C-alpha cells in the first residue's frame, strides 16, 4: 500500500503548499510587504476556513509609521481571499457592539450546531472605534474572541466571538488587544516598487478561484489539522513569548500540514515580525540594561551613572538624549518590574546603583534567552573599537524588541 502523501505530479509540490503559494502570489500583486509579512497574511487567510479546529485564533495588528502604506489595501485583499463575518471601517464602538450581538448568543439555535461558526472580523480605521468613553466594552468583546472557550457577557446572555480578526489603524491598539495580535508593520512603497491597483470589481473575480481551491484543501486537510491541533506545534521559535506562541499556533499548524517550504517559512516569519514589533519603553529599557550587564561580564552591580553612560550611546533609543542626571527617568521605566536602585558602597564611597540579582526575575519572565540576538554584540563592538557605535546605520546586528503583555492593562 502506498502511504505517500499526494503532491502535484508536475511540480512535486504538496497540494496545500501549492494553494498557499498561489495565494501569496495573488497578494504580492497588490501589496508591498516583505516576504515574512506575506507568509503571515497567507496563513491567516487560510485560518479563517478552519471552524473549531484550533483553541486559539490568530489576530493581526496591521499598522504603519505613516499613512498611504497599504493598510486598507491589505484588509481588502484579506476580505477577498478569507472567510469573513464582516468588514467595517471606522465604526463607533457602540454601533459595532449593536451590530455584532444578534445571532451570536450561545443560546441561539444557530449557535448550537457543531462546529460553531467563526466570527472573523476585519476592522479598518479602528482608531475611530476605540474612543476613550467606549473603550472597555468593545475591547472586552474583541479580547473574548481570541480563545475558543471565551465568551462576552451582556445582560443575561453570553455571546461567542471566537475567530481570526485583523485590525488596521493609525494609532496603537489598546494594550490588552495588541498582546493578542501578530504585528504587520507596513512601509510606504518606494517609487521603484511596482504593484497593481486594487480595482475592486476585477480583484474579487480573480480571487474566487483561489478561494474555491483553498476551501477544498482545508476540507480535505481537516482531519490532519484536527490531529495536529491536539498538540503544540513542534519547533516553536524560542524567542516567542507564551502569548505570542498562542497567537501563532493556528498558522504553524496550517503550515505544517501544508508541507513544502511553508513550515520553515512560517517559523522564520513569526520570529521576524514579532522581533520588528515596537517594544514598550519599559521592556526596551529592561532589554538594554541586560545587554549592558552582559557587556560588562555580568558584574554583581552597576552604578546608575555607569548605566546612563552606556544608555546614552544608543542612538536609536529615546534615552540617547538623556543627560547625566537622568537617574529618576531610568527608575520610572524599571519601576513596573519591581526594580529600584539601591544605595551601594565601594572603597568607602556611597553611590546609587542597580544589583544584577534584582533584574533576574524580570529578565527571565519578559525577555528571550541571551542565545537570541540582543544589542550586546553591538555594544561590545563599540566599546572595543571593533565596530561602529551602537545605533548607527552601519551597525551589523539589529536589536531585538518585543511587545510586553503583562505590564498594565486597559
Amino acid at each position: 500500500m502506498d502511504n505517500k502523501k499526494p503532491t502535484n505530479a508536475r511540480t512535486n509540490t504538496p497540494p496545500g503548499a501549492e494553494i498557499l503559494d498561489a495565494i501569496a502570489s495573488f497578494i504580492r500583486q497588490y501589496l508591498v510587504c516583505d516576504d515574512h509579512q506575506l507568509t503571515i497574511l497567507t496563513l491567516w487567510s487560510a485560518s479563517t476556513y478552519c471552524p473549531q479546529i484550533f483553541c486559539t485564533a490568530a489576530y493581526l495588528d496591521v499598522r504603519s509609521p505613516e499613512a498611504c502604506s497599504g493598510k486598507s489595501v491589505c484588509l481588502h485583499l484579506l476580505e477577498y481571499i478569507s472567510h469573513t463575518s464582516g468588514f467595517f471601517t471606522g465604526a463607533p464602538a457602540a454601533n459595532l457592539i449593536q451590530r455584532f450581538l444578534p445571532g451570536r448568543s450561545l443560546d441561539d439555535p444557530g449557535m448550537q450546531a457543531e462546529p460553531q461558526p467563526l466570527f472573523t472580523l476585519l476592522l479598518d480605521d479602528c482608531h475611530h472605534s476605540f474612543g476613550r468613553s467606549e473603550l472597555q466594552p468593545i475591547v472586552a468583546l474583541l479580547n473574548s474572541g481570541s480563545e475558543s472557550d471565551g465568551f462576552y457577557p451582556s445582560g443575561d446572555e453570553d455571546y461567542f466571538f471566537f475567530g481570526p480578526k485583523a485590525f488596521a489603524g493609525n494609532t496603537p491598539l489598546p494594550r490588552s488587544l495588541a498582546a493578542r495580535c501578530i504585528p504587520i508593520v507596513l512601509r510606504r512603497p518606494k517609487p521603484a516598487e511596482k504593484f497593481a491597483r486594487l480595482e475592486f470589481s476585477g480583484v474579487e473575480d480573480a480571487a474566487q478561484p483561489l478561494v474555491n481551491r483553498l476551501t477544498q484543501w482545508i476540507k480535505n486537510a481537516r482531519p490532519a489539522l484536527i490531529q495536529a491541533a491536539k498538540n503544540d506545534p513542534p519547533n516553536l521559535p524560542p524567542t516567542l513569548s507564551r502569548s505570542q506562541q498562542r497567537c501563532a499556533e493556528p498558522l504553524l499548524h496550517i503550515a505544517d500540514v501544508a508541507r513544502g517550504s511553508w513550515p520553515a517559512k512560517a517559523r522564520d516569519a513569526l520570529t521576524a515580525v514579532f522581533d520588528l514589533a515596537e517594544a514598550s519603553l519599559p521592556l526596551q529599557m529592561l532589554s538594554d540594561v541586560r545587554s549592558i550587564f552582559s557587556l560588562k561580564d555580568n558584574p554583581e552591580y552597576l552604578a546608575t551613572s555607569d548605566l546612563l553612560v552606556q544608555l546614552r550611546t544608543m542612538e536609536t533609543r529615546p534615552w540617547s538624549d538623556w543627560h547625566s542626571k537622568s537617574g529618576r527617568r531610568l527608575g520610572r521605566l524599571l519601576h513596573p518590574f519591581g526594580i529600584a536602585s539601591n544605595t551601594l558602597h565601594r572603597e568607602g564611597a556611597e553611590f546609587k546603583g542597580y544589583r544584577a540579582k534584582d533584574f533576574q526575575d524580570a529578565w527571565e519572565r519578559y525577555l528571550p534567552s541571551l542565545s537570541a540576538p540582543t544589542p550586546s554584540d553591538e555594544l561590545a563592538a563599540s566599546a572595543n573599537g571593533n565596530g561602529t557605535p551602537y545605533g548607527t546605520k552601519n551597525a551589523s546586528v539589529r536589536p531585538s524588541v518585543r511587545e510586553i503583555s503583562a505590564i498594565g492593562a486597559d
Side-chain angles (χ1 to χ4, degrees):
M1 180 177 179
D2 188 359
N3 292 321
K4 291 184 178 180
K5 295 182 179 180
T7 61
N8 184 305
R10 181 172 56 85
T11 64
N12 200 35
T13 303
E18 189 172 37
I19 181 56
L20 294 180
D21 288 343
I23 291 172
S25 297
F26 172 78
I27 297 173
R28 175 68 82 192
Q29 294 179 63
Y30 303 97
L31 183 69
V32 175
C33 62
D34 66 35
D35 291 342
H36 296 311
Q37 293 167 341
L38 184 63
T39 295
I40 299 299
L41 294 173
T42 302
L43 291 170
W44 185 91
S45 68
S47 75
T48 66
Y49 293 89
C50 300
Q52 296 302 292
I53 291 179
F54 308 114
C55 61
T56 62
Y59 282 19
L60 301 181
D61 177 8
V62 182
R63 47 193 164 94
S64 64
E66 294 292 338
C68 301
S69 298
K71 297 187 297 297
S72 295
V73 169
C74 179
L75 259 64
H76 279 296
L77 286 169
L78 292 178
E79 181 186 20
Y80 295 144
I81 58 177
S82 304
H83 189 277
T84 60
S85 304
F87 186 113
F88 297 88
T89 302
N95 290 359
L96 288 176
I97 294 175
Q98 186 178 22
R99 293 281 298 273
F100 293 165
L101 293 183
R104 303 301 303 185
S105 170
L106 291 172
D107 292 331
D108 290 342
M111 296 297 292
Q112 304 302 315
E114 289 289 344
Q116 292 170 325
L118 292 174
F119 185 76
T120 303
L121 173 69
L122 299 165
L123 186 57
D124 197 14
D125 286 342
C126 63
H127 48 282
H128 295 304
S129 302
F130 298 131
R132 189 59 63 178
S133 62
E134 302 174 316
L135 183 62
Q136 298 300 335
I138 188 63
V139 171
L141 184 152
L142 295 171
N143 286 349
S144 74
S146 65
E147 302 279 343
S148 61
D149 58 356
F151 61 89
Y152 175 73
S154 179
D156 296 329
E157 301 286 338
D158 294 331
Y159 294 87
F160 185 73
F161 293 103
F162 176 67
K165 296 171 182 59
F167 310 98
N170 295 332
T171 58
L173 290 176
R175 180 173 292 175
S176 63
L177 184 57
R180 291 167 165 81
C181 291
I182 300 171
I184 302 292
V185 185
L186 299 176
R187 308 293 177 184
R188 185 177 292 176
K190 297 178 182 178
E193 292 178 311
K194 304 300 181 183
F195 55 94
R197 285 189 59 189
L198 193 64
E199 299 291 352
F200 301 106
S201 58
V203 175
E204 189 170 7
D205 292 339
Q208 191 57 50
L210 296 176
V211 169
N212 295 339
R213 290 172 60 193
L214 179 58
T215 303
Q216 186 60 49
W217 176 72
I218 293 291
K219 181 179 179 180
N220 295 340
R222 185 176 178 85
L225 290 169
I226 291 174
Q227 184 62 35
K230 293 178 180 179
N231 301 292
D232 290 338
N235 304 316
L236 283 166
T239 58
L240 301 190
S241 68
R242 183 55 185 156
S243 64
Q244 291 166 348
Q245 291 174 4
R246 297 283 287 173
C247 295
E249 282 180 11
L251 307 191
L252 289 173
H253 284 310
I254 291 169
D256 289 346
V257 172
R259 301 189 295 138
S261 63
W262 284 89
K265 287 200 302 185
R267 286 158 176 81
D268 290 343
L270 288 161
T271 299
V273 297
F274 277 119
D275 194 48
L276 285 172
E278 296 176 1
S280 69
L281 288 181
L283 184 61
Q284 186 66 71
M285 178 59 76
L286 186 69
S287 178
D288 288 348
V289 170
R290 184 178 67 169
S291 297
I292 294 169
F293 268 91
S294 179
L295 168 68
K296 300 291 186 180
D297 295 325
N298 297 308
E300 182 181 349
Y301 60 83
L302 283 173
T304 301
S305 58
D306 292 339
L307 279 173
L308 290 171
V309 167
Q310 293 293 334
L311 291 168
R312 291 167 64 197
T313 68
M314 300 180 178
E315 296 181 8
T316 62
R317 300 287 194 262
W319 28 95
S320 63
D321 60 358
W322 283 7
H323 54 70
S324 59
K325 302 293 185 182
S326 298
R328 290 186 178 181
R329 300 173 77 176
L330 172 60
R332 282 195 294 269
L333 289 176
L334 296 175
H335 176 74
F337 302 101
I339 299 170
S341 63
N342 296 271
T343 300
L344 304 174
H345 298 84
R346 181 176 56 201
E347 298 177 355
E350 185 178 278
F351 60 96
K352 287 289 187 179
Y354 288 87
R355 299 176 301 194
K357 67 178 184 179
D358 295 335
F359 288 91
Q360 291 299 332
D361 183 75
W363 286 342
E364 292 177 13
R365 291 180 184 277
Y366 300 113
L367 299 180
S369 66
L370 276 175
S371 60
T374 71
S376 57
D377 291 337
E378 290 184 68
L379 282 165
S382 176
N384 296 329
N386 296 325
T388 55
Y390 182 91
T392 61
K393 63 183 179 180
N394 294 320
S396 60
V397 180
R398 175 173 44 77
S400 174
V401 292
R402 312 211 162 268
E403 294 286 357
I404 190 166
S405 61
I407 298 180
D410 291 290

